[in-house]
Each structure stands twice: as C-alpha cells, then as structure tokens.
Amino acid sequence: MAEIFTGISSIRYEGPESKNALAFKFYDADRVVMGKPMSEHLPFAMAWWHNLCNGGKDMFGDPTTDKSFGAEANTMAHAKAKVDAGFEFMQKVGIRYFCFHDIDLVPEADDINETNRRLDEVTDYMLEKMKTTGIQCLWGTANMFGNPRYMNGAGSTNSAEVFCFAAAQIKKALELTVKLGGRGYVFWGGREGYETLLNTDMKFEQENIARLMHMAVNYGRSIGFKGDFYIEPKPKEPMKHQYDYDASTAIGFLRAHGLDKDFKLNIEANHATLAGHTFQHDLCVSRINGMLGSIDANQGDLLLGWDTDEFPFDVYDATMCMYEVLKAGGISGGLNFDAKTRRPSYTYENMFEAFILGMDTYALGLLKAAAIIEDGRVDEFVKDRYASYQDGIGARIASGEATLEECAANALKLKAPKLPGSGKQEYLESIVNSVLFG
Ligand code: XLS
Ligand code: CA
Ligand code: CA
C-alpha cells in the first residue's frame, strides 16, 4: 500500500520554542499531569467525516481538497483508500481513536442490504488495521439526517416506514460499533426537531424518539455493547428547533423517558455556543448530573450564527473544558475533533497542522486547568462563598431538614439580612490570567 501523505513523517513533540509547523509545541503524550500521562487525559479522536470525506464543499462552491486518495469516488476502492489514509494519518499524528457515521465508511447503495454488505467488507478491512496499529474506535453512529428519507426526522419522522429504516441503520451501526470495540454510540438528532408546529405533534415525536432509543439500548445490550450511549445536544441547524437543545434539555428528556442509566452526553463546543451557552456551561451541567461522557472538541465563530466546526485554538475555552473534565475525574469517552480545516486550507499538510493546533490547544488547556486547580484560590473562593450553609440554619437548609416556617422565622428575627459576600469576579478572572500567562 503506497504512502498517501508523502513528505510528512510522524509528528513529534519539540516544545514551545519550536518553529517547526509539523511538530507539537505543547502536546507531549508521555508528560505526567496530575498523576496521568497527557495521552490518557486527552483521548483524541479523528472524525472520519471531516478528515477523510469532507473536501470543503459548501453551499456556494465545490470541494477545494482532493479526498479521493487516488481512488474513484463512490467505490469500495475509495472506501478502502480512506481507511488507508485515515490510519496513516492517525499513526503519523499519534491519534489513538476515530469516530464514524455508517455512511462515512462506504457509499450508500439504493438497497440497504447492499449498504450493509459494504459496511461488513470495509469494517473487516478496518479491523485488520486496528489490530496492527492499536488504534481504536471511540464511538460509532448512524447518519440519520443526510438521506432525503430523513427530511422529517428519524425517530421523530411522521413515516413509520422511515422510522424502520432508522432502526435498521442503528441496528447495523451498533453491530459495527461492537465489532470495532467502540467505547460509545452517539445519537445526534440533527433532524429530530421541527420547522413549524402547524404540522407537528411534538409530544408524539418526542415519545417516538425515546422509543427508538429504548430499542437501541435493548438491542445494543443484547449484542454485548457495554459502553455508553450518548446524546449530542444541538439547538438548531439543520432544523429550526431541535429537541436536544442543550445539555439541560437532553438530561430532562433522558430522565423523563427512563434512559438516563444507559445514556450520557457528548458535548460539542460549537453546539453549546449555538444554544447561547459557553462550552463550559454545558460541560458543567453534564458533570454535575453525572452525565459528562464524551466531548466534540471544536469551536465556533461567535460572529456567525451557524455551526462552523473549526479546529480549536481558544486556550481559555480549552482550559475551562479541561477544568470540567478534571473535576469530573475524567471521562469515559474522549475528545473527538469534530472539526474541519477552513476551505482555503486545502493541502494535506494543512490537515496535519489543524490536528497539531487542536492537540496543542487541549494540551495547554489541560496544563492550565491543572494549574488552576493546584493553585487552589478559585476552588477556595467558591467554597468560602457558600460558607453560610456550613452551620446554623444554613446547614439545616443544605441537609434538607429546614422548613419554610423555620427559614421565615429566622428572617423575621434578623429583621434585615447582611448583603451576601462579594462575587469578586474580576479578582477571579485575574487569577485565571495569571495562571495562564504568569
Ligand atoms: C453535527 C454533529 C455531527 C455529530 C455526529 O453538527 O456535530 O457531526 O457529531 O452525527
Ligand atoms: Ca458541529
Ligand atoms: Ca459533533
């Protein structure tokens, strides 16, 4: 098998002083941070769709990058060339995981039976590569948004026939995820939403999504899938309203339908900001509910109102992300670069530069988050801020023993409360700056 990314060798750590575009400045896989090597804190994954399938096509123009990898489009030869390219790429970058949608792997046939046969063939080929390289599958999923049959959703579709096709795709994608040893299985409900309530029975649609998820859990467990199922929240795009709006909404849905034992969340940075939250907000909501499973590590552009899926370079965001991950005691999933190079960055070398940027950004995020925790001033401040709940009436409130009458009597006795302690936001922000840049 011929080398695809010729002229690019394995990417090495050279340190912050390095000017070599094809070297890591901060990601040093074996460096131990808070008791664990960076590579374990940061189980990075390559998204098959962006890195191997997406050539930069957008609504206004054709692809700028050639992702044929020497094979004819829409053939099994191309599917296998993508496997060759993907494994060579991951080995050179030092990425240990990948994520996939079913139809990222093979061209979809008119007959789903033939698509399934192709999927079997390509995953046999992937499995061989996985054995020789040690590269693993982070998660699998089914693309239930691209094909026109999903115009009205998959679980939420108005057509029982289409619902069955979604079930068939999930069944196969779960089988493939088990075959490839995937840690997780994702539901991103891109078309699970609506354009107008004039034609939509929202209650029925949401219940049907839950029914489909229950079917997936039952089947997955029956074939030995032991990993987590994930919902990946996103508020909009492609639909105007998507049911999995944000982490809180998705957790409420999972609990309402008895799915919370089998599901966690896959939080994507760019989706959180589209929902009007910071990335950290949705990570924190997931963490405090015991549901932080996996992360799609990208970033959006706050000047644009859509999902730009950029490689992350914002060290503040990466720091606050890793702060949540460290507070969660790690995640069972990983950090998937659901990100694509900008359209004018069209060379193979640019693909490597993008991953170097993302991995270095998260390495910095990890180092800085650990430093904030080790510094201790932020944690200490937060603890002190709630000190009034440590004894007296405060302790009775926190333990759930106090009654409304008791609290009210306390207020009447005090006549007027003291002002609560200062929030000192600016002081805390300056601590973060001095930890980041001091
Ligand atoms: C799209 C989503 C999608 C999921 C997987 O916005 O990010 O790529 O991660 O279906
Ligand atoms: Ca996205
Ligand atoms: Ca994603």
Side-chain angles (χ1 to χ4, degrees), residues 321-344:
C321 170
M322 291 313 297
Y323 182 79
E324 293 299 328
V325 170
L326 291 174
K327 294 251 155 188
I331 47 176
S332 55
L335 293 155
N336 169 42
F337 288 119
D338 192 355
K340 54 195 178 206
T341 52
R342 297 306 84 194
R343 196 162 175 269

mmCIF file of all heavy atoms in Angstrom, residues 321-344:
data_model
loop_
_atom_site.group_PDB
_atom_site.id
_atom_site.type_symbol
_atom_site.label_atom_id
_atom_site.label_comp_id
_atom_site.label_asym_id
_atom_site.label_seq_id
_atom_site.Cartn_x
_atom_site.Cartn_y
_atom_site.Cartn_z
ATOM 1 N N CYS A 321 -12.723 23.798 29.660
ATOM 2 C CA CYS A 321 -13.201 22.449 29.326
ATOM 3 C C CYS A 321 -12.442 21.417 30.147
ATOM 4 O O CYS A 321 -13.037 20.565 30.818
ATOM 5 C CB CYS A 321 -13.019 22.190 27.824
ATOM 6 S SG CYS A 321 -13.294 20.471 27.368
ATOM 7 N N MET A 322 -11.118 21.519 30.136
ATOM 8 C CA MET A 322 -10.326 20.519 30.862
ATOM 9 C C MET A 322 -10.498 20.656 32.373
ATOM 10 O O MET A 322 -10.373 19.680 33.109
ATOM 11 C CB MET A 322 -8.848 20.597 30.441
ATOM 12 C CG MET A 322 -8.593 20.140 29.017
ATOM 13 S SD MET A 322 -9.402 18.566 28.567
ATOM 14 C CE MET A 322 -8.606 17.413 29.680
ATOM 15 N N TYR A 323 -10.823 21.875 32.817
ATOM 16 C CA TYR A 323 -11.140 22.087 34.239
ATOM 17 C C TYR A 323 -12.362 21.237 34.610
ATOM 18 O O TYR A 323 -12.366 20.537 35.619
ATOM 19 C CB TYR A 323 -11.422 23.581 34.425
ATOM 20 C CG TYR A 323 -11.733 24.039 35.823
ATOM 21 C CD1 TYR A 323 -10.723 24.226 36.760
ATOM 22 C CD2 TYR A 323 -13.044 24.333 36.192
ATOM 23 C CE1 TYR A 323 -11.014 24.682 38.039
ATOM 24 C CE2 TYR A 323 -13.341 24.795 37.464
ATOM 25 C CZ TYR A 323 -12.323 24.968 38.389
ATOM 26 O OH TYR A 323 -12.608 25.416 39.649
ATOM 27 N N GLU A 324 -13.372 21.247 33.743
ATOM 28 C CA GLU A 324 -14.572 20.426 33.999
ATOM 29 C C GLU A 324 -14.237 18.945 33.923
ATOM 30 O O GLU A 324 -14.739 18.144 34.716
ATOM 31 C CB GLU A 324 -15.695 20.769 32.999
ATOM 32 C CG GLU A 324 -16.268 22.172 33.156
ATOM 33 C CD GLU A 324 -16.896 22.416 34.533
ATOM 34 O OE1 GLU A 324 -17.441 21.478 35.139
ATOM 35 O OE2 GLU A 324 -16.825 23.563 35.018
ATOM 36 N N VAL A 325 -13.396 18.578 32.966
ATOM 37 C CA VAL A 325 -13.031 17.161 32.814
ATOM 38 C C VAL A 325 -12.264 16.683 34.054
ATOM 39 O O VAL A 325 -12.540 15.614 34.590
ATOM 40 C CB VAL A 325 -12.203 16.938 31.526
ATOM 41 C CG1 VAL A 325 -11.619 15.531 31.476
ATOM 42 C CG2 VAL A 325 -13.066 17.200 30.284
ATOM 43 N N LEU A 326 -11.324 17.500 34.518
ATOM 44 C CA LEU A 326 -10.561 17.113 35.713
ATOM 45 C C LEU A 326 -11.482 17.020 36.928
ATOM 46 O O LEU A 326 -11.387 16.105 37.732
ATOM 47 C CB LEU A 326 -9.420 18.100 35.979
ATOM 48 C CG LEU A 326 -8.259 18.068 34.961
ATOM 49 C CD1 LEU A 326 -7.264 19.191 35.264
ATOM 50 C CD2 LEU A 326 -7.535 16.725 34.958
ATOM 51 N N LYS A 327 -12.410 17.990 37.025
ATOM 52 C CA LYS A 327 -13.355 17.956 38.157
ATOM 53 C C LYS A 327 -14.245 16.725 38.093
ATOM 54 O O LYS A 327 -14.713 16.230 39.114
ATOM 55 C CB LYS A 327 -14.248 19.200 38.140
ATOM 56 C CG LYS A 327 -13.509 20.476 38.385
ATOM 57 C CD LYS A 327 -13.855 21.038 39.737
ATOM 58 C CE LYS A 327 -12.734 21.915 40.212
ATOM 59 N NZ LYS A 327 -12.862 22.359 41.557
ATOM 60 N N ALA A 328 -14.504 16.271 36.867
ATOM 61 C CA ALA A 328 -15.352 15.075 36.703
ATOM 62 C C ALA A 328 -14.554 13.805 36.991
ATOM 63 O O ALA A 328 -15.106 12.709 36.984
ATOM 64 C CB ALA A 328 -15.929 15.037 35.294
ATOM 65 N N GLY A 329 -13.253 13.944 37.193
ATOM 66 C CA GLY A 329 -12.417 12.753 37.397
ATOM 67 C C GLY A 329 -12.164 12.024 36.090
ATOM 68 O O GLY A 329 -11.958 10.810 36.079
ATOM 69 N N GLY A 330 -12.226 12.767 34.965
ATOM 70 C CA GLY A 330 -12.007 12.162 33.643
ATOM 71 C C GLY A 330 -13.338 11.806 32.999
ATOM 72 O O GLY A 330 -14.403 11.969 33.601
ATOM 73 N N ILE A 331 -13.258 11.350 31.767
ATOM 74 C CA ILE A 331 -14.478 10.975 31.035
ATOM 75 C C ILE A 331 -14.303 9.564 30.480
ATOM 76 O O ILE A 331 -13.184 9.151 30.188
ATOM 77 C CB ILE A 331 -14.800 11.976 29.894
ATOM 78 C CG1 ILE A 331 -13.558 12.288 29.039
ATOM 79 C CG2 ILE A 331 -15.403 13.247 30.435
ATOM 80 C CD1 ILE A 331 -13.832 13.184 27.841
ATOM 81 N N SER A 332 -15.444 8.884 30.327
ATOM 82 C CA SER A 332 -15.353 7.517 29.787
ATOM 83 C C SER A 332 -15.140 7.552 28.274
ATOM 84 O O SER A 332 -14.662 6.585 27.695
ATOM 85 C CB SER A 332 -16.627 6.747 30.122
ATOM 86 O OG SER A 332 -17.751 7.474 29.655
ATOM 87 N N GLY A 333 -15.491 8.661 27.640
ATOM 88 C CA GLY A 333 -15.324 8.787 26.188
ATOM 89 C C GLY A 333 -13.990 9.405 25.825
ATOM 90 O O GLY A 333 -12.953 8.993 26.333
ATOM 91 N N GLY A 334 -14.015 10.395 24.952
ATOM 92 C CA GLY A 334 -12.762 11.004 24.525
ATOM 93 C C GLY A 334 -12.998 12.403 23.990
ATOM 94 O O GLY A 334 -14.061 13.001 24.225
ATOM 95 N N LEU A 335 -11.980 12.913 23.321
ATOM 96 C CA LEU A 335 -12.053 14.256 22.729
ATOM 97 C C LEU A 335 -11.967 14.103 21.223
ATOM 98 O O LEU A 335 -10.889 13.890 20.666
ATOM 99 C CB LEU A 335 -10.885 15.109 23.222
ATOM 100 C CG LEU A 335 -10.904 15.459 24.706
ATOM 101 C CD1 LEU A 335 -9.503 15.745 25.200
ATOM 102 C CD2 LEU A 335 -11.803 16.654 24.964
ATOM 103 N N ASN A 336 -13.138 14.171 20.609
ATOM 104 C CA ASN A 336 -13.209 13.961 19.175
ATOM 105 C C ASN A 336 -13.100 15.300 18.448
ATOM 106 O O ASN A 336 -13.885 16.217 18.728
ATOM 107 C CB ASN A 336 -14.560 13.298 18.856
ATOM 108 C CG ASN A 336 -14.866 13.267 17.385
ATOM 109 O OD1 ASN A 336 -13.992 12.995 16.563
ATOM 110 N ND2 ASN A 336 -16.115 13.549 17.028
ATOM 111 N N PHE A 337 -12.144 15.416 17.535
ATOM 112 C CA PHE A 337 -12.058 16.659 16.757
ATOM 113 C C PHE A 337 -13.132 16.645 15.665
ATOM 114 O O PHE A 337 -12.879 16.247 14.533
ATOM 115 C CB PHE A 337 -10.662 16.842 16.161
ATOM 116 C CG PHE A 337 -9.641 17.199 17.196
ATOM 117 C CD1 PHE A 337 -8.556 16.392 17.431
ATOM 118 C CD2 PHE A 337 -9.802 18.341 17.968
ATOM 119 C CE1 PHE A 337 -7.631 16.719 18.412
ATOM 120 C CE2 PHE A 337 -8.885 18.671 18.957
ATOM 121 C CZ PHE A 337 -7.798 17.852 19.176
ATOM 122 N N ASP A 338 -14.332 17.067 16.068
ATOM 123 C CA ASP A 338 -15.410 17.203 15.078
ATOM 124 C C ASP A 338 -15.196 18.560 14.416
ATOM 125 O O ASP A 338 -15.914 19.522 14.673
ATOM 126 C CB ASP A 338 -16.765 17.127 15.778
ATOM 127 C CG ASP A 338 -17.890 16.974 14.772
ATOM 128 O OD1 ASP A 338 -17.603 17.034 13.566
ATOM 129 O OD2 ASP A 338 -19.041 16.802 15.190
ATOM 130 N N ALA A 339 -14.160 18.630 13.624
ATOM 131 C CA ALA A 339 -13.684 19.915 13.118
ATOM 132 C C ALA A 339 -13.104 19.736 11.718
ATOM 133 O O ALA A 339 -12.588 18.668 11.381
ATOM 134 C CB ALA A 339 -12.620 20.458 14.055
ATOM 135 N N LYS A 340 -13.219 20.786 10.946
ATOM 136 C CA LYS A 340 -12.660 20.724 9.593
ATOM 137 C C LYS A 340 -11.762 21.931 9.341
ATOM 138 O O LYS A 340 -11.967 23.005 9.931
ATOM 139 C CB LYS A 340 -13.784 20.659 8.561
ATOM 140 C CG LYS A 340 -14.794 21.761 8.691
ATOM 141 C CD LYS A 340 -16.060 21.453 7.894
ATOM 142 C CE LYS A 340 -17.077 22.556 8.090
ATOM 143 N NZ LYS A 340 -18.457 22.136 7.911
ATOM 144 N N THR A 341 -10.798 21.731 8.474
ATOM 145 C CA THR A 341 -9.943 22.866 8.112
ATOM 146 C C THR A 341 -10.806 23.885 7.370
ATOM 147 O O THR A 341 -11.820 23.524 6.746
ATOM 148 C CB THR A 341 -8.800 22.419 7.192
ATOM 149 O OG1 THR A 341 -9.360 21.703 6.099
ATOM 150 C CG2 THR A 341 -7.810 21.529 7.911
ATOM 151 N N ARG A 342 -10.426 25.143 7.427
ATOM 152 C CA ARG A 342 -11.146 26.158 6.641
ATOM 153 C C ARG A 342 -10.953 25.847 5.161
ATOM 154 O O ARG A 342 -9.925 25.303 4.755
ATOM 155 C CB ARG A 342 -10.621 27.572 6.954
ATOM 156 C CG ARG A 342 -10.801 28.075 8.382
ATOM 157 C CD ARG A 342 -12.225 28.027 8.898
ATOM 158 N NE ARG A 342 -12.575 26.723 9.420
ATOM 159 C CZ ARG A 342 -13.833 26.321 9.691
ATOM 160 N NH1 ARG A 342 -14.844 27.119 9.470
ATOM 161 N NH2 ARG A 342 -14.079 25.113 10.158
ATOM 162 N N ARG A 343 -11.919 26.212 4.353
ATOM 163 C CA ARG A 343 -11.925 25.807 2.943
ATOM 164 C C ARG A 343 -10.658 26.199 2.180
ATOM 165 O O ARG A 343 -10.162 25.420 1.353
ATOM 166 C CB ARG A 343 -13.187 26.402 2.283
ATOM 167 C CG ARG A 343 -13.550 25.799 0.962
ATOM 168 C CD ARG A 343 -14.994 26.125 0.629
ATOM 169 N NE ARG A 343 -15.297 25.647 -0.700
ATOM 170 C CZ ARG A 343 -15.153 26.360 -1.796
ATOM 171 N NH1 ARG A 343 -14.720 27.616 -1.704
ATOM 172 N NH2 ARG A 343 -15.430 25.850 -2.971
ATOM 173 N N PRO A 344 -10.099 27.369 2.456
ATOM 174 C CA PRO A 344 -8.860 27.702 1.734
ATOM 175 C C PRO A 344 -7.614 26.967 2.257
ATOM 176 O O PRO A 344 -6.548 27.088 1.655
ATOM 177 C CB PRO A 344 -8.715 29.226 1.949
ATOM 178 C CG PRO A 344 -10.043 29.692 2.444
ATOM 179 C CD PRO A 344 -10.622 28.546 3.199
#
